[in-house]
Amino acid sequence: HRAGAFAERGLYTSAKGMAPALLEALPKGPAPVVELGVETGLLECVGRARPDLELYGLDRNQDALAQCARLASQEGVEDIAWIHADLFEPETWVDRLPKGRPGVLYTIHLHEFVAAGQDAVSKLVQKLVQLLPGWRLVAIEQPRLGNESRGLISPSRWLYSQSNILIHHLIRNGRILSRDEWIEIFKDGGAPIETVSPTGYLDYLAFVVRLDAGAGAP
């Protein structure tokens, strides 16, 4: 059994290590930015660093949204719009976003969303391509490493990566996929990959995906 409060505090701390890579992937000028799955602390990081952005937090858990609003307020970030909705039903929440101004969706929870199935995530991407053309999706993930990587990284990094796989297997709330499996999900959803870049934090990668069915391969 994993104690949720401890897990949330740990996530709030570790997610800050991903903030520089996320900020690098965001538009240089004003734009809407939506976090998919809140309580990471990243909205606050973005809000402090980029007050010109229009911030949204989306979650199906009303309590999580309320907690995130409290934490953001404590850190002096007030102008966040909160969306209580099911991520997998974007037709119910995209109307809350600005029309005609493409922005960015981002998440560090995609491995948890895969608990619904890889096909479900690909279908979600397909819907986003249709409903939010011109937007981008930034997914920050620690891909599953193959055995060939064991001798190429430090023992602590290898154990960290394996513990992440084990934790999600035991609590059954997600799956850690390989780099190629993530790319396949986006391709199946009809969204071309723009970049896959190291975040500089452990072995997490930032997948930047273009939600544009007519974009073609990068």
Side-chain angles (χ1 to χ4, degrees), residues 138-189:
V138 178
I140 297 179
E141 285 291 333
Q142 182 195 38
R144 177 191 288 264
L145 299 177
N147 288 334
E148 69 280 358
S149 299
R150 185 169 188 171
L152 303 176
I153 60 177
S154 67
S156 59
R157 282 170 58 194
W158 174 257
L159 290 173
Y160 178 85
S161 70
Q162 297 304 300
S163 68
N164 202 23
I165 295 169
L166 179 61
I167 287 168
H168 288 87
H169 172 74
L170 292 175
I171 61 179
R172 299 181 181 180
N173 79 330
R175 285 185 59 204
I176 306 302
L177 303 180
S178 70
R179 179 184 186 277
D180 289 345
E181 286 175 315
W182 284 122
I183 290 174
E184 194 64 28
I185 283 179
F186 299 131
K187 286 185 176 178
D188 287 347

Side-chain angles (χ1 to χ4, degrees), residues 5 8-9 12 38-40 44 61-74 82:
E8 288 164 7
R9 285 200 293 272
Y12 200 81
V38 299
E39 283 195 286
T40 66
E44 293 91 314
N61 186 326
Q62 186 68 66
D63 290 340
L65 291 169
Q67 173 68 358
C68 192
R70 286 193 292 271
L71 292 172
S73 181
Q74 290 172 12
W82 306 104

Side-chain angles (χ1 to χ4, degrees), residues 88-101:
F88 286 94
E89 298 177 0
E91 60 276 4
T92 67
W93 53 263
V94 293
D95 286 345
R96 300 280 302 276
L97 305 178
K99 293 180 174 60
R101 288 197 292 127

Side-chain angles (χ1 to χ4, degrees), residues 8-9 11-16 19 22 35 37-48 68 71-72 75 77 80 106 108-109:
E8 288 164 7
R9 285 200 293 272
L11 175 63
Y12 200 81
T13 300
S14 64
K16 291 182 179 180
L22 173 60
E35 181 169 50
V38 299
E39 283 195 286
T40 66
L42 285 171
L43 273 173
E44 293 91 314
C45 291
V46 173
R48 289 195 303 272
C68 192
L71 292 172
E75 297 200 28
V77 181
I80 302 175
Y106 77 85
I108 63 172
H109 292 303

